[in-house]
Structures are given as structure tokens and as C-alpha cells.
Amino acid sequence: MSADAPAPDASGLRKRIDTTKAHPARVYDVFLGGKDNYPADREAAAMAAKANPRGHLDVRHNRDFVRRAVTVLAGESGIRQFLDVGTGLPTQQNVHQIAQAIAPDAQVVYVDNDPIVLVHAQALLTSSAEGRTDYIEADIREPGKILEAARRTLDFDRPVTLVLAAILHFIDDDEAYPVVARLLGALPSGSHLVLSHLTADMNPVPINKVAETFRKRGFSFVLRRREEIERFVTDNGLELLDPGIVPSRHWRPDHAADATETRGPAPEELDHLDGGRYVSISDATDEDVNIYVLVARKP
């Protein structure tokens, strides 16, 4: 599905959505204050909020890290192609909005496996006149399908940034490392990896409680240590950009958090969430962060 393709049949797609089971993209949407989620998603989010009342700050810091990383790569490194796997539901400051604000000719391909994301994909496909966006419905565990479809839009003879934001902790080791290797292996020299990943290295008690709530709902949930996250870099011969692998709030902070960030009261199901309120990431401290981030270059 590309920017000039017809809108998807929303009624048909909605029939494929299993509203009885929580989905990571929709739970993420709850923590961002979105509206495209169901009771099962809000229940999972509520349990996570009970385990870690300020955990929504990880979600928000993750989005702001992506903003900063794309800004640096489009603005300073001249990258014009992005492959965002595990896109999630559209919100403000999507990758194409960030990149095309700097480089109108930037091309962005989004990938997600939740039909509800495809229902809303037209919001992801509002490209600049000079650039292009595309959407692929696929699972990260299908790298061959992703790469084949991405070639409709992206030129794999030119550098591509692979964005894997807050997705790999849902994938077990026996799939995560080979999948990342396959995706990066198809990209040329000068390409980049933007990666964020939950960990128990920092503040282990609340994040382990959160992990347990997700596992009880059938999710794979792998809290990798720093050295295990570093393997995604070293196994693929990448070079880390400064400042390396760091907690999300410490990767090149610019103190320009998205002005549209949702704040104020949260849904009543999230009464454990920070006193029942969404708060700004500017209120976060190191004690609130459980996510490592990195940007690395393929030499």
C-alpha cells in the first residue's frame, strides 16, 4: 500500500482485529493517550501502570528519542530513506513528518502487523509532494516479505535507516538476532540502525513487574541487558554513534519535546498511572527510565 493507493477497506480490516487480546501497538497507544484501543489493551496497560505508575514515561521518552535520532540522521547525516518496523498507531511526529520537515524528498516505509494500524495508515501516508511514504502489513519475523515490499519505495543501493523502536523486547533471542541480521544485511554501506529496547539494568523492580504482566497475557517479553543489546551492533559490524548505548533521556537531549504530547487526566482504567495523570517527559528522572537507545552506522 503506497501513498497513491486507495484507502483500505476499513470494515473488512476491522473484522480481522481480535479485540479480545491486547496488542503491543494498542497498549502503546493507551500510554500515549490515544483513542484507538480496546478494553483488553486498556486492561493490560492498567496492570502495567499498577506495576510501574511512571512507566508511561518510558513510552514517551522512546518516541522523543526517535524524533531526535531521525532529526540527526536526516539533518546531519543526509539520510533520505527510512524503514520503520513496528510502527504502531499514527500519532504526532511520525517518522515521515520529522524527516520530511528537514528533507521534503525523504522516503519512509512503515511496517506493522496489527490490522488496526492499516485502518489508520492513510495518516501515515500523507507525504510531502517531493517525498513518498508506504505501508506494509507484515510481522517483524518476516524479514523477507518486508524487504521485498520495501523495495517498491526504497532504493537499496542508497543508505537506509532501519528503525526498530521498542519492538525487539517482544521477540525471543532465537528470532530477534537473525531477523535484525537479515534486515541489516540487505542494507548498503552508510545505512543506520535506530534501536530502543527495554531493560532491567536500571530500576529492575518495577520493570520486571511490568514484564510479568505482559507475559501473563501471552506476550514474549525479553528484558535484555546492555551487552545483549550491544550484540545487535557488534554481530552486524556496525559503528555506534556518540553517545553510544545510553538510557533514552541521555541520547543527545535537545529539550524540545513534542509540544503535542498528551498531558492531563488519563482514562479511569489507569488510575495507578502517576496519580491518574499523563505527565511530560520533562518530569522524568533516571529512576523512571528503563529503556536503552542507540544509533549505529553500517560502514
Side-chain angles (χ1 to χ4, degrees):
M1 179 180 174
S2 62
D4 52 4
D9 177 4
S11 62
L13 285 168
R14 288 189 183 279
K15 292 178 182 178
R16 295 169 43 207
I17 299 168
D18 186 351
T19 62
T20 66
K21 296 180 180 178
H23 188 283
R26 301 195 301 261
V27 175
Y28 195 90
D29 182 64
V30 174
F31 283 125
L32 288 173
K35 306 298 183 183
D36 297 304
N37 48 73
Y38 297 93
D41 308 303
R42 293 191 288 274
E43 180 186 356
M47 293 299 293
K50 184 177 181 180
N52 184 10
R54 288 174 69 84
H56 70 109
L57 291 168
D58 265 332
V59 174
R60 290 156 182 275
H61 260 298
N62 176 69
R63 281 205 66 81
D64 199 57
F65 157 68
V66 172
R67 176 189 63 80
R68 299 193 307 272
V70 171
T71 296
V72 167
L73 293 175
E76 298 179 12
S77 302
I79 300 298
R80 297 293 179 264
Q81 302 190 108
F82 297 83
L83 177 59
D84 183 356
V85 182
T87 301
L89 286 153
T91 182
Q92 292 299 313
Q93 295 291 284
N94 298 298
V95 168
H96 75 281
Q97 294 170 316
I98 302 164
Q100 291 178 353
I102 298 167
D105 60 338
Q107 302 185 83
V108 179
V109 173
Y110 294 104
V111 182
D112 206 284
N113 70 339
D114 186 359
I116 196 173
V117 179
L118 181 55
V119 170
H120 296 278
Q122 288 300 108
L124 294 170
L125 300 177
T126 309
S127 175
S128 66
E130 302 92 335
R132 190 179 179 196
T133 60
D134 197 0
Y135 179 86
I136 302 166
E137 187 182 8
D139 192 288
I140 189 175
R141 300 172 184 85
E142 303 174 293
K145 178 180 179 180
I146 291 170
L147 292 169
E148 179 181 1
R151 287 188 172 93
R152 297 191 305 245
T153 301
L154 305 179
D155 178 359
F156 280 24
D157 290 327
R158 296 167 49 229
V160 176
T161 288
L162 174 63
V163 180
L164 299 175
I167 184 173
L168 289 174
H169 44 254
F170 293 110
I171 312 295
D172 291 329
D173 285 352
D174 60 348
E175 293 181 299
Y177 293 109
V179 161
V180 174
R182 176 80 182 278
L183 292 171
L184 286 170
L187 306 183
S189 174
S191 295
H192 290 77
L193 171 65
V194 171
L195 184 151
S196 60
H197 199 299
L198 285 170
T199 182
D201 282 1
M202 300 95 73
N203 314 307
V205 173
I207 195 60
N208 275 307
K209 290 180 180 178
V210 170
E212 186 60 26
T213 67
F214 279 101
R215 291 174 187 139
K216 286 180 178 178
R217 282 160 176 76
F219 293 113
S220 294
F221 209 89
V222 185
L223 297 172
R224 293 184 174 91
R225 301 187 64 82
R226 186 187 187 283
E227 56 267 28
E228 294 171 315
I229 296 169
E230 189 174 20
R231 274 191 57 192
F232 293 112
V233 176
T234 56
D235 285 4
N236 296 291
L238 307 183
E239 300 170 343
L240 280 170
L241 272 61
D242 289 337
I245 302 172
V246 296
S248 53
R249 65 193 297 264
H250 295 300
W251 198 92
R252 304 195 188 185
D254 60 10
H255 309 291
D258 182 7
T260 64
E261 183 185 17
T262 301
R263 304 179 191 183
E268 63 180 34
E269 297 96 334
L270 299 189
D271 57 351
H272 294 286
L273 184 148
D274 213 10
R277 296 183 63 82
Y278 293 111
V279 299
S280 170
I281 60 172
S282 63
D283 294 331
T285 68
D286 285 344
E287 285 69 38
D288 298 314
V289 175
N290 291 95
I291 193 162
Y292 279 130
V293 302
L294 66 90
V295 178
R297 181 181 183 276
K298 185 174 181 177

